[in-house]
Amino acid sequence: MDFTFNDDQLMFRDSVKAFLTNEMTPEHIRSLWDTDSGRSPEFWPKLAELGLTAMTVPEQYGGLGMNALDFVLLAQECGYAAMPGVLVETALVAIPLIAELDDAHEGFKQDWLPQIAEGSARVAVAHPDNLLVADAHMADLLLLAHNGEVHGVPAVDVTLEANPSVDPSRRLFSVQWTPSDATKLADAETGALLWQNAFNRGALGVAAQQLGLAKRMMDVTVDYTYERKQFGKPVGSFQAVKHMMADVAVKVEFARPPLIKAAYDIANGEASAALAVSHAKLVASEAVRAAAKNGIQAHGAMGYTWEVDLQIFMKAGWAMDASYGDQGTHKVRIKSAILAEGAALGAGASF
Amino acid sequence: MDFTFNDDQLMFRDSVKAFLTNEMTPEHIRSLWDTDSGRSPEFWPKLAELGLTAMTVPEQYGGLGMNALDFVLLAQECGYAAMPGVLVETALVAIPLIAELDDAHEGFKQDWLPQIAEGSARVAVAHPDNLLVADAHMADLLLLAHNGEVHGVPAVDVTLEANPSVDPSRRLFSVQWTPSDATKLADAETGALLWQNAFNRGALGVAAQQLGLAKRMMDVTVDYTYERKQFGKPVGSFQAVKHMMADVAVKVEFARPPLIKAAYDIANGEASAALAVSHAKLVASEAVRAAAKNGIQAHGAMGYTWEVDLQIFMKAGWAMDASYGDQGTHKVRIKSAILAEGAALGAGASF
Amino acid sequence: MDLNYTQEQQAFRAEVRQWLEANVPSEPLASFDTAEGFAQHREWEAKLNEGRWGMVTWPQELGGRGCDLIQWLIFEEEYYRSGAPMRVNQNGIFLLGPTLMEYGTEAHKARFLPKMATGEEVWAQGWSEPGAGSDMAAIRSKAERQGDHYIINGQKTWSTRAVWADWTFGIFRTDPDSSRHKGLTFILVPLDAPGVTVQPIPQLDGLPGFAEIFFDNVKVPVENVLGGENNGWNVAMSTAGFERGLMLRSPARFQETARRLVELYKANQESADRDPAIGEAVMRAYLDAEAYTQSTYMTASRLIKGGKIGPESSTNKIFWSELDQSMHQAAMSILGACAELWPHAPAAQGVGKWLDGFLFAQAGPIYAGTNEIQRNIIAERMLGMPRA
Amino acid sequence: MDLNYTQEQQAFRAEVRQWLEANVPSEPLASFDTAEGFAQHREWEAKLNEGRWGMVTWPQELGGRGCDLIQWLIFEEEYYRSGAPMRVNQNGIFLLGPTLMEYGTEAHKARFLPKMATGEEVWAQGWSEPGAGSDMAAIRSKAERQGDHYIINGQKTWSTRAVWADWTFGIFRTDPDSSRHKGLTFILVPLDAPGVTVQPIPQLDGLPGFAEIFFDNVKVPVENVLGGENNGWNVAMSTAGFERGLMLRSPARFQETARRLVELYKANQESADRDPAIGEAVMRAYLDAEAYTQSTYMTASRLIKGGKIGPESSTNKIFWSELDQSMHQAAMSILGACAELWPHAPAAQGVGKWLDGFLFAQAGPIYAGTNEIQRNIIAERMLGMPRA
């Protein structure tokens, strides 16, 4: 029993954090908002250079063969930076989904996984439980669902329609396409399991990013409470403001263990993974809501402006809230697990 | 349209408040806790002298012919004082229930109502939606339910078993009795309506008392925040303590209008009475919970002691919480009303 | 107590309803935080005024209808029920208008009220200053008396409507040696005066809902003072009292939001009920909007009988702003994956203006005195707790 | 990261379980806030100690098992799972015991630890003083050095277990010119010493769960000082650190309450589901108890690898105390009309000890440093917000 990350995992997290702090500044994010694609052409290659696009690609396809647990801290940092784009979804959903295809699609894997690992190809995922497809406009390959089947379709064969989100970083598309035997990667029976696994990994990725965002909102707000003054004192010295931030800290602090547990369960194929993921996603979503609400409140009127960076993180947090299952979806899964006949509850049943 | 009480109503409220402030002190309540009956033999006659037992008795039976709206402010004061006993239930439930009996029971009315009005007889109500009967040990007459019928049984014909409550003021009993034609006052069909009306009036009475209790908890806590010192200052000067009391004040302030509206609806036989009562009861219950929680917190460790008077009001508020319908009961009624096809909602639909 | 409307009140309601049915634009106007929308809303104010529905609480002789508060509530109910445009000139009608009637000279009234009523002159408020926020006494903008003029220098911020408005009102420090509440004067300033610069502040939705106003030696005649020199705090408190009170946060607005929320819930009940918190929030929205309405009617009835608004009005601010936030959060939860989409997104089904409303609701607990300030007021002035 | 128990850990769990199954009293003991119950609990401590299960985290040579924190968690899980009695001597085992090991001399350890382990000497804590509460530095009780003794005068309050305990530990002002954290000394005082008066404080349930302790010229030898004169604050902080940390609020306790709540809910689901907030609260109870457990395992793993507990431990206090409150409120809601009844009421069906637990849960956010103090600590020390 050891509930800690190893030094490699922590060091890699630190280096990604440092990279994002330098590269993905709020100013840069704002400048990307004004571009058509919302994406910087130089950025994805840098992610690839850091090994981030190869992290979860199996070694035989030129990747690093890492798992969800290795990636979860990085996903949190992507959230913390409000990094636009779908690196997290690529690493946690798209790549494992392709890797999980059966041997009949070995050629497909060999075609795509090495390219994805080296950053020369990008994938978008149209998960059937999501309404829209993020970053479809940047993708070379789209993984699509049709009656439960999994299909892989090159970008040239799809038509996209943009759907503006409250988060200007988020680029969402409806996809028009035609399924065929040639595009089919898994039938409905296999697909059910693949999409289910993909759902859990996608939810984990959103939870990790939301938790990072909640933490970031907390940090920028605490900073701001030194700047903003009322009655001649920094607002951060008022007990009401302190306590509203302390409440956020409690939520963030106790959203972290469930997230790590969920990543561990996914990485190790534990039966408890679905419950763990839903727990993580629910509390991360709640942490975002609390951090946004109390963050804007502690900012005062500035929190309601375009100027203050808080908006970047609030909107990112709000916008992805229902991605890979809204709170209702996850509550249903949690309740059915804990109310099940013979569910393992109580002291000693956690691990 | 005039949503104010008249001067008579307010003056009577003030005199009852003054009476209770003098007579029903926390010290007196504590002394009653140590008695077998929990009741002072001198007290009921004083209530009768003030006209409180006659308030809702129709004039032709020697009463004052007042209604639920006239009584609701007094019920709040009874709550504010944590007055032990069932004056509120007598005035709002027992007396109207007897008065609503059909003409075949004119003799029963003439037997009992004048005595109740003058305070020489007392009634206890075993409402079928309640688990136990309050103050059955003090009653001369019990109104009981049997398969939806209404029965009236003299105290000599029942056997009581005491059920200790968390509130030492509250004396609850299971009642053993034998229904007969002689005891029957209404058949099941008429009874359904009578019990339903009684339920609404009983819930109104509990809501009024709970709101009074919430207000009292707020007041004793505010007083205490001057006494209790931390870090050399009265705790009431700390913003966190102020805000926790302000939160209670908001709940209390906005639980009042629904209570008055419910009393008005009952007094005037409005179709909206059931919804209004459930609203009032739900928010009064929430006000009690908030006032108790924040009250004990602002008291610090003293709030957890037997010594501090807060306990009297917390326990009274908690103990009656599920009487005449718990939160679930009232939520169900509210939801079915507002989700009904064609429900009148929105601006202009309130009155 | 009588909770029935009188025949006159019913007739009044019918008259309002009829006029609105005939006159409310069939297409929603553009946001008044855009130049186009501002012009449309100004036009709507003029139309309202033509029907004498622009400022119903003003006296008859000033172009109003002398409505009492119950009539005003009825008017508001019908107004919100009809889906009529938001009032771009509420700063004038509800804040400055009544203040002018209380503190203004006859000349002031004649000069300002008619154009306010027609929407010809739209007013921005100039309360806050940078670094002051909810601390209204921390005023540093100065007005220096020079003969029959003041020379104004300084800066106001969070001035709602200022980007396209014509005039602003606010308090300025006229006694340079004073501090806090003393030595302030309430002055009306035309926004096209030389030396005035209006700097838009884009809000969460990117539109300039408020602005900073810079005053650089702005010359304003002494006639523009309201309530006398160095008496500004009292005048401002009367204005802010209205703001904190009931006039600006009509229960009808929240009742209509609650009604729309119930509809949204019923239309999506199956998916919404996967999250029991949603049904609870919907029920709560209805109940709280109702309680707020009842509370307002109680206050209105009391005021009509000569009562006064006290510090308990601070409970209102907290109640409606938190209600508004939670109603919009509930709507977002019901909308699920559609919640994040702007209404013009092709996949956005039935989203209405919920996202706009959600963003706007975030400001509720902040503006007009943060809810923390309101809680301080409740604790100290209503409950009598010790000051810090 | 490896979330599997080792074979050794599994074997340890099996051993604990077996012993508890064989030894836990079949009938629940009376409350240790009664004389009878206290004696029963003292007996149970002795029995635990016979099996060497009394203080599993103490070193082998002191009669413990040298368990690391993971083993301790396993022990606690089995302990709560078995329904074993509450620990009457937790002040000794978890607070003073470790402090003695850190600051005590060999003589101290030999004198106090064995009798603490057997339950022969039960310890009360003497932290708070009247009018101080969560402000631990506001100590006014004095200990005056006279030769090889101290003469203690003053008063402690909120001393848990003091009514029937044998000893108390606390800090006393030894430097009369000092203030706040300075000039304090940590002293062990026998409660039967002449001049000591213990005045019970009845709590919400009427039982004397704590007491005031009056010291009137109480003579205590200097050997009873722990950690040296005027060093009391440091010693106390180490003790309080444990209290605020994980040792006293074992996740197993909350997991078992959550499990019982799920059972209560399932047994009453139809009526409970009339109030959707109940199902939510039950789900929340399970999740929060789980999160608290995970968090504790993370901290334990970190500490085993040499990490330190920091100010984030203040988040624990808030989390478990609010969890405990809301779990018990949920149970009361499920129990409905039975919630107010004591278990011996004839009509009380299936109420178990929920009412007791509900009352006790009210104290959670207050004792061991109010949650307001914890929020201050989180804001200032964990988040680095400006001090007032």
Side-chain angles (χ1 to χ4, degrees):
Chain A
M1 175 61 62
D2 172 18
F3 208 152
T4 61
F5 285 96
N6 64 37
D7 288 345
D8 286 352
Q9 287 164 330
L10 294 174
M11 276 170 55
F12 197 35
R13 191 262 320 264
D14 291 345
S15 71
V16 169
K17 186 179 187 69
F19 166 77
L20 290 171
T21 303
N22 291 326
E23 296 280 329
M24 197 45 76
T25 59
E27 299 71 43
H28 184 56
I29 290 172
R30 285 170 186 274
S31 75
L32 290 174
W33 285 358
D34 296 330
T35 64
D36 275 348
S37 74
R39 306 290 174 256
S40 140
E42 301 86 33
F43 190 67
W44 198 266
K46 287 184 189 165
L47 295 177
E49 206 175 304
L50 270 173
L52 290 168
T53 55
M55 276 284 285
T56 59
V57 174
E59 288 174 273
Q60 69 262 42
Y61 304 108
L64 302 169
M66 306 283 208
N67 63 28
L69 183 62
D70 299 310
F71 197 79
V72 69
L73 293 179
L74 314 183
Q76 269 183 275
E77 293 307 326
C78 294
Y80 191 86
M83 184 182 108
V86 288
L87 174 69
V88 174
E89 198 176 24
T90 301
L92 288 177
V93 183
I95 290 168
L97 181 57
I98 296 172
E100 280 178 4
L101 293 173
D102 63 24
D103 294 347
H105 298 93
E106 184 59 32
F108 183 85
K109 298 185 196 183
Q110 286 179 3
D111 282 352
W112 286 105
L113 287 175
Q115 285 195 72
I116 295 169
E118 71 183 29
S120 59
R122 303 206 213 172
V123 205
V125 183
H127 195 285
D129 290 335
N130 285 336
L131 180 69
L132 295 164
V133 187
D135 273 27
H137 65 315
M138 305 302 292
D140 303 289
L141 169 70
L142 290 93
L143 298 174
L144 296 149
H146 175 69
N147 294 336
E149 300 159 355
V150 181
H151 290 254
V153 182
V156 292
D157 295 333
V158 304
T159 311
L160 304 180
E161 192 172 35
N163 280 269
S165 159
V166 65
D167 175 12
S169 284
R170 199 159 145 87
R171 303 298 165 107
L172 297 171
F173 299 87
S174 345
V175 180
Q176 298 284 333
W177 63 291
T178 311
S180 72
D181 279 352
T183 61
K184 197 197 294 188
L185 299 171
D187 61 21
E189 199 189 327
T190 316
L193 182 66
L194 293 177
W195 286 126
Q196 183 57 34
N197 288 343
F199 180 82
N200 283 333
R201 287 189 299 252
L204 176 74
V206 173
Q209 290 175 86
Q210 280 200 303
L211 187 55
L213 284 160
K215 178 87 164 57
R216 182 64 172 273
M217 286 187 248
M218 190 168 85
D219 289 352
V220 298
T221 304
V222 166
D223 285 351
Y224 188 73
T225 63
Y226 276 91
E227 273 178 52
R228 182 176 161 225
K229 295 208 167 68
Q230 292 274 298
F231 305 98
K233 294 197 289 187
V235 294
S237 64
F238 288 97
Q239 204 181 21
V241 176
K242 283 184 182 163
H243 287 200
M244 85 180 62
M245 297 320 294
D247 286 339
V248 176
V250 172
K251 280 199 185 298
V252 166
E253 192 71 14
F254 284 91
R256 230 172 74 80
L259 179 74
I260 309 306
K261 172 70 159 57
Y264 178 90
D265 279 4
I266 285 181
N268 292 279
E270 300 283 344
S272 50
L275 172 58
V277 162
S278 286
H279 182 179
K281 178 94 165 38
L282 180 61
V283 292
S285 161
E286 290 171 346
V288 156
R289 292 184 187 187
K293 189 173 172 182
N294 293 3
I296 197 170
Q297 190 68 22
H299 271 75
M302 282 309 291
Y304 191 65
T305 64
W306 192 261
E307 178 188 338
V308 155
D309 290 336
L310 178 67
Q311 68 143 326
I312 298 172
F313 310 106
M314 287 199 300
K315 288 176 176 173
W318 287 330
M320 68 175 68
D321 198 52
S323 183
Y324 289 101
D326 58 13
Q327 291 197 355
T329 305
H330 292 286
K331 285 181 178 179
V332 167
R333 298 206 319 171
I334 294 164
K335 280 189 197 158
S336 69
I338 66 179
L339 299 180
E341 199 55 44
L345 305 174
S350 301
F351 300 105
Chain B
M1 174 62 61
D2 172 18
F3 208 151
T4 60
F5 285 97
N6 63 37
D7 288 344
D8 286 351
Q9 288 163 330
L10 295 174
M11 275 170 55
F12 197 35
R13 191 260 321 265
D14 291 347
S15 71
V16 169
K17 187 182 186 67
F19 166 76
L20 290 171
T21 303
N22 291 327
E23 297 280 329
M24 200 43 77
T25 59
E27 298 71 43
H28 184 56
I29 291 173
R30 286 171 187 272
S31 74
L32 292 174
W33 286 358
D34 294 330
T35 63
D36 275 347
S37 73
R39 305 293 174 257
S40 139
E42 300 86 34
F43 191 65
W44 197 265
K46 286 185 189 165
L47 295 177
E49 204 175 307
L50 270 172
L52 291 168
T53 53
M55 276 285 286
T56 58
V57 174
E59 288 173 273
Q60 69 263 41
Y61 304 108
L64 301 169
M66 306 282 206
N67 62 27
L69 183 62
D70 299 309
F71 197 80
V72 69
L73 292 179
L74 314 184
Q76 270 181 277
E77 294 307 325
C78 294
Y80 190 85
M83 184 181 107
V86 287
L87 174 70
V88 173
E89 198 178 24
T90 301
L92 288 177
V93 184
I95 291 168
L97 181 55
I98 296 172
E100 279 177 6
L101 293 173
D102 61 26
D103 294 345
H105 298 91
E106 185 57 34
F108 184 86
K109 297 187 198 182
Q110 286 178 3
D111 282 350
W112 287 105
L113 287 176
Q115 286 196 70
I116 295 170
E118 70 183 30
S120 57
R122 302 205 214 172
V123 205
V125 183
H127 196 286
D129 290 335
N130 285 336
L131 180 68
L132 295 164
V133 187
D135 273 26
H137 66 316
M138 304 302 291
D140 303 289
L141 169 69
L142 290 92
L143 298 173
L144 296 149
H146 174 69
N147 294 334
E149 300 157 356
V150 181
H151 290 254
V153 183
V156 290
D157 296 334
V158 304
T159 311
L160 305 179
E161 193 173 33
N163 280 268
S165 159
V166 66
D167 175 12
S169 284
R170 201 160 143 87
R171 303 299 165 106
L172 297 171
F173 298 87
S174 343
V175 180
Q176 299 283 332
W177 63 289
T178 311
S180 72
D181 279 351
T183 60
K184 196 196 298 186
L185 298 171
D187 61 21
E189 198 189 328
T190 316
L193 182 65
L194 293 177
W195 287 125
Q196 182 57 33
N197 288 344
F199 181 82
N200 284 333
R201 286 190 299 251
L204 176 74
V206 173
Q209 291 175 86
Q210 280 200 304
L211 187 54
L213 285 160
K215 176 87 165 55
R216 181 66 172 271
M217 287 187 247
M218 189 167 86
D219 289 352
V220 298
T221 304
V222 166
D223 285 351
Y224 189 72
T225 64
Y226 275 92
E227 273 177 52
R228 182 178 161 224
K229 295 208 166 67
Q230 291 275 295
F231 304 99
K233 293 198 289 186
V235 295
S237 65
F238 289 97
Q239 204 181 23
V241 176
K242 282 183 184 163
H243 286 199
M244 95 184 46
M245 296 321 295
D247 286 340
V248 176
V250 173
K251 281 200 186 295
V252 167
E253 192 72 15
F254 284 91
R256 230 172 74 79
L259 178 74
I260 310 304
K261 171 72 159 58
Y264 178 91
D265 279 6
I266 284 181
N268 292 278
E270 301 282 343
S272 49
L275 172 58
V277 163
S278 286
H279 182 178
K281 178 95 164 43
L282 179 61
V283 292
S285 161
E286 289 171 347
V288 156
R289 293 184 186 186
K293 189 174 172 179
N294 292 3
I296 198 170
Q297 191 67 22
H299 270 76
M302 282 308 293
Y304 190 65
T305 64
W306 191 263
E307 177 189 338
V308 154
D309 290 335
L310 179 67
Q311 68 143 325
I312 298 172
F313 310 107
M314 287 198 300
K315 288 175 177 174
W318 287 330
M320 68 174 69
D321 199 51
S323 182
Y324 290 99
D326 59 12
Q327 291 197 356
T329 304
H330 292 286
K331 284 181 178 179
V332 166
R333 299 208 317 174
I334 294 164
K335 279 189 198 157
S336 70
I338 67 180
L339 298 179
E341 199 57 41
L345 306 174
S350 299
F351 299 106
Chain C
M1 188 171 303
D2 178 359
L3 302 187
N4 296 297
Y5 294 102
T6 63
Q7 288 206 335
E8 288 77 5
Q9 286 165 342
Q10 290 176 33
F12 177 75
R13 183 187 295 279
E15 192 187 349
V16 181
R17 185 174 297 190
Q18 196 179 2
W19 189 88
L20 288 168
E21 273 170 7
N23 289 282
V24 167
S26 53
E27 289 295 305
L29 309 186
S31 162
F32 57 35
D33 293 330
T34 64
E36 178 204 4
F38 196 85
Q40 290 173 355
H41 280 79
R42 201 196 279 269
E43 225 172 278
W44 167 247
E45 290 291 335
K47 179 165 226 170
L48 271 175
N49 188 57
E50 276 169 34
R52 250 186 352 127
W53 296 109
M55 47 289 133
V56 294
T57 53
W58 288 16
Q60 299 264 3
E61 62 273 19
L62 293 170
R65 289 173 177 256
C67 284
D68 68 14
L69 285 169
I70 300 292
Q71 285 171 310
W72 172 73
L73 284 165
I74 293 169
F75 173 76
E76 289 282 300
E77 284 164 0
E78 292 305 316
Y79 193 87
Y80 277 96
R81 196 180 158 280
S82 73
M86 281 177 69
R87 305 295 300 270
V88 71
N89 201 8
Q90 51 186 8
N91 287 332
I93 297 165
F94 296 123
L95 297 183
L96 184 59
T99 309
L100 271 166
M101 293 175 212
E102 186 174 349
Y103 287 98
T105 61
E106 288 311 310
H108 281 135
K109 295 182 202 172
R111 164 65 190 83
F112 293 112
L113 291 172
K115 289 188 173 177
M116 188 186 292
T118 57
E120 212 174 323
E121 287 177 354
V122 175
W123 289 81
Q125 42 173 299
W127 288 143
S128 297
E129 299 199 356
S134 289
D135 180 10
M136 270 184 56
I139 296 296
R140 287 180 302 177
S141 293
K142 290 178 301 189
E144 193 185 336
R145 179 76 180 259
Q146 292 192 354
D148 58 355
H149 282 77
Y150 288 97
I151 304 298
I152 299 183
N153 280 287
Q155 183 184 350
K156 298 286 181 181
T157 190
W158 310 123
S159 179
T160 44
R161 302 294 88 76
V163 180
W164 288 284
D166 309 290
W167 282 78
T168 188
F169 56 88
I171 45 178
F172 298 87
R173 196 159 295 284
T174 32
D175 175 355
D177 299 328
S178 65
S179 72
R180 306 288 304 159
H181 313 79
K182 306 209 172 89
L184 299 168
T185 300
F186 195 104
I187 307 179
L188 314 175
V189 187
L191 288 172
D192 60 0
V196 172
T197 311
V198 175
Q199 180 76 44
I201 305 178
Q203 58 197 18
L204 270 190
D205 61 6
L207 297 176
F210 21 61
E212 292 176 293
I213 308 177
F214 296 89
F215 302 88
D216 180 14
N217 287 319
V218 176
K219 198 170 166 189
V220 175
V222 290
E223 293 85 55
N224 286 17
V225 166
L226 218 56
E229 193 171 273
N230 294 341
N231 189 33
W233 183 256
N234 290 329
V235 184
M237 279 300 98
S238 121
T239 311
F242 276 104
E243 179 175 37
R244 273 199 283 269
L246 50 83
M247 292 298 281
L248 276 182
R249 240 60 64 180
S250 154
R253 174 178 142 203
F254 305 106
Q255 287 191 291
E256 282 300 298
T257 307
R259 185 187 57 71
R260 289 192 297 118
L261 182 63
V262 171
E263 277 170 17
L264 183 71
Y265 172 69
K266 286 170 82 168
N268 298 277
Q269 195 167 353
E270 200 182 335
S271 80
D273 278 348
R274 293 170 310 131
D275 183 354
I278 291 177
E280 283 285 288
V282 171
M283 177 192 75
R284 173 78 34 198
Y286 167 77
L287 294 181
D288 286 355
E290 207 58 26
Y292 185 66
T293 305
Q294 293 164 357
S295 165
T296 308
Y297 269 89
M298 283 178 99
T299 306
S301 300
R302 210 160 46 72
L303 296 181
I304 286 173
K305 288 188 164 179
K308 290 244 175 249
I309 290 189
E312 76 282 356
S313 66
S314 285
T315 63
N316 281 10
K317 167 72 210 302
I318 293 171
F319 196 78
W320 67 250
S321 60
E322 295 188 347
L323 165 61
D324 204 38
Q325 248 186 346
S326 64
M327 284 196 288
H328 283 91
Q329 178 60 65
M332 300 301 274
S333 295
I334 296 172
L335 290 168
C338 281
E340 65 171 306
L341 299 179
W342 292 109
H344 59 284
Q349 292 299 315
V351 300
K353 305 265 275 175
W354 285 110
L355 178 55
D356 263 329
F358 174 75
L359 295 179
F360 181 59
Q362 306 307 316
I366 297 166
Y367 71 96
T370 63
N371 286 9
E372 285 69 45
I373 297 286
Q374 307 300 339
R375 287 191 170 89
N376 290 349
I377 293 173
I378 292 168
E380 293 173 7
R381 297 191 214 159
M382 179 177 163
L383 303 180
M385 291 175 76
R387 285 170 171 268
Chain D
M1 188 172 303
D2 179 358
L3 302 188
N4 297 297
Y5 294 101
T6 63
Q7 288 205 333
E8 288 77 5
Q9 286 165 343
Q10 289 175 33
F12 176 74
R13 183 187 293 279
E15 193 187 349
V16 180
R17 185 173 298 191
Q18 197 179 1
W19 189 88
L20 288 168
E21 274 171 6
N23 289 282
V24 168
S26 53
E27 289 294 305
L29 308 187
S31 162
F32 58 34
D33 294 330
T34 64
E36 178 203 3
F38 197 85
Q40 291 173 354
H41 281 80
R42 202 196 278 267
E43 224 171 282
W44 168 247
E45 289 292 334
K47 180 163 226 170
L48 271 174
N49 188 57
E50 277 168 35
R52 258 200 329 140
W53 296 110
M55 48 286 135
V56 293
T57 53
W58 288 16
Q60 301 263 1
E61 62 273 20
L62 294 170
R65 289 172 177 257
C67 283
D68 69 12
L69 285 170
I70 299 292
Q71 284 171 307
W72 172 73
L73 284 165
I74 293 170
F75 173 76
E76 289 283 300
E77 285 164 2
E78 293 304 317
Y79 193 86
Y80 277 95
R81 196 179 159 281
S82 73
M86 281 177 68
R87 304 295 299 270
V88 71
N89 201 8
Q90 51 186 6
N91 287 331
I93 298 165
F94 296 123
L95 296 183
L96 183 59
T99 309
L100 272 167
M101 294 174 211
E102 188 174 348
Y103 288 98
T105 60
E106 288 312 309
H108 281 136
K109 293 183 203 172
R111 162 66 189 83
F112 292 111
L113 290 172
K115 291 190 173 177
M116 187 185 292
T118 57
E120 211 175 324
E121 288 177 353
V122 176
W123 288 81
Q125 41 173 301
W127 288 144
S128 297
E129 298 198 356
S134 289
D135 180 9
M136 270 185 54
I139 296 296
R140 288 179 301 177
S141 292
K142 291 178 300 188
E144 195 184 335
R145 177 77 179 257
Q146 293 191 356
D148 56 356
H149 283 77
Y150 287 98
I151 304 298
I152 299 184
N153 280 287
Q155 182 184 352
K156 298 286 180 181
T157 191
W158 309 125
S159 180
T160 44
R161 298 301 83 78
V163 179
W164 289 284
D166 308 290
W167 282 77
T168 187
F169 56 88
I171 45 178
F172 298 86
R173 195 158 298 283
T174 32
D175 176 353
D177 299 328
S178 66
S179 72
R180 306 288 304 160
H181 313 78
K182 305 208 174 90
L184 299 168
T185 300
F186 194 105
I187 307 180
L188 314 177
V189 186
L191 287 172
D192 60 0
V196 172
T197 311
V198 175
Q199 178 76 43
I201 305 178
Q203 58 196 18
L204 270 190
D205 61 7
L207 298 175
F210 20 63
E212 292 177 294
I213 308 177
F214 297 90
F215 302 87
D216 180 14
N217 288 318
V218 176
K219 198 170 167 188
V220 175
V222 291
E223 291 86 54
N224 287 19
V225 165
L226 218 58
E229 191 172 274
N230 294 341
N231 190 33
W233 183 255
N234 291 329
V235 184
M237 280 300 98
S238 121
T239 311
F242 276 103
E243 180 175 37
R244 273 200 283 269
L246 50 82
M247 292 297 282
L248 276 182
R249 241 57 65 177
S250 152
R253 173 178 143 200
F254 305 106
Q255 287 190 294
E256 282 299 298
T257 307
R259 184 187 57 70
R260 288 192 298 119
L261 182 64
V262 171
E263 277 170 18
L264 183 71
Y265 172 70
K266 285 170 80 166
N268 298 276
Q269 194 166 355
E270 200 182 332
S271 80
D273 278 349
R274 292 170 311 132
D275 183 354
I278 292 177
E280 284 285 287
V282 171
M283 176 192 76
R284 171 78 35 198
Y286 167 79
L287 293 181
D288 287 354
E290 207 56 26
Y292 184 65
T293 306
Q294 293 163 357
S295 166
T296 307
Y297 269 88
M298 285 179 97
T299 305
S301 301
R302 210 160 45 73
L303 295 181
I304 287 172
K305 288 187 163 179
K308 290 242 176 251
I309 289 191
E312 77 282 357
S313 66
S314 284
T315 64
N316 281 9
K317 166 73 209 303
I318 293 171
F319 196 77
W320 67 251
S321 60
E322 295 188 347
L323 164 60
D324 204 38
Q325 249 186 346
S326 65
M327 285 196 288
H328 283 91
Q329 178 61 66
M332 300 300 274
S333 295
I334 295 172
L335 290 170
C338 282
E340 64 172 307
L341 300 179
W342 292 109
H344 58 285
Q349 293 298 315
V351 300
K353 305 265 277 175
W354 285 111
L355 178 55
D356 263 328
F358 174 75
L359 295 179
F360 182 59
Q362 306 308 316
I366 296 166
Y367 71 97
T370 65
N371 285 9
E372 286 67 47
I373 298 285
Q374 307 300 338
R375 288 191 169 88
N376 289 349
I377 294 172
I378 293 168
E380 292 172 8
R381 298 191 212 158
M382 178 178 164
L383 303 179
M385 291 175 75
R387 282 169 173 268

